[in-house]
Amino acid sequence: MIILVEDDGDQRLALKVALELAGYTVREASNGRVAMALLNERPPLFLITDIFMPETDGFELIGTVRERSPQTRIIVVSGGGRHATLDYLAAAELIGVDATLQKPFPIPSLLETLAALTNGARGR
């Protein structure tokens, strides 16, 4: 199961549909607070999260997931938002996420990343 966290509703829907068509079960959240509630219900195999979101940002969510569900593989996706002068994907890598993808990214790249992580490899 995947928890998909994206505050942009159109992007979240597009990713959810693509992941479900690829055979994944997806639970979606519009922000980190909702994702934490889903995490409490059932730890996911994967967490795919944006960094910049209202209420609880991606970094706080990553810390919580690492603490509560260390087996969950984390993929961070970001376009930089208003803070594009800093490399937040590199910062996410430094705190130990499993893979990062720069928005916009092609859906096949996400599916390849999931496949690689399922097979034990670390993504970029």
Side-chain angles (χ1 to χ4, degrees):
M1 190 255 302
I2 295 172
I3 294 179
L4 171 64
V5 192
E6 171 61 61
D7 61 321
D8 181 295
D10 291 338
Q11 286 184 12
R12 189 174 62 249
L13 178 61
L15 290 171
K16 181 179 191 260
V17 168
L19 290 166
E20 288 178 341
L21 287 172
Y24 293 97
T25 300
V26 180
R27 306 223 30 220
E28 58 185 300
S30 59
N31 60 54
R33 182 184 49 78
V34 174
M36 284 191 217
L38 294 174
L39 178 68
N40 288 334
E41 291 174 18
R42 181 174 164 210
L45 180 59
F46 293 104
L47 172 77
I48 301 171
T49 187
D50 195 358
I51 293 175
F52 300 105
M53 300 175 291
E55 300 201 34
T56 301
D57 70 26
F59 288 115
E60 187 176 345
L61 176 60
I62 291 164
T64 299
V65 170
R66 284 289 179 236
E67 189 177 292
R68 294 184 189 170
S69 181
Q71 74 282 3
T72 296
R73 308 303 294 267
I74 301 173
I75 301 171
V76 172
V77 298
S78 182
R82 297 181 302 274
H83 313 284
T85 57
L86 299 174
D87 190 348
Y88 288 95
L89 291 176
E93 289 176 356
L94 289 174
I95 63 170
V97 302
D98 297 289
T100 61
L101 291 170
Q102 176 76 41
K103 289 181 184 176
F105 54 86
I107 296 296
S109 293
L110 177 58
L111 297 177
E112 290 169 8
T113 300
L114 287 166
L117 292 176
T118 299
N119 294 324
R122 282 185 75 86
R124 275 191 57 204

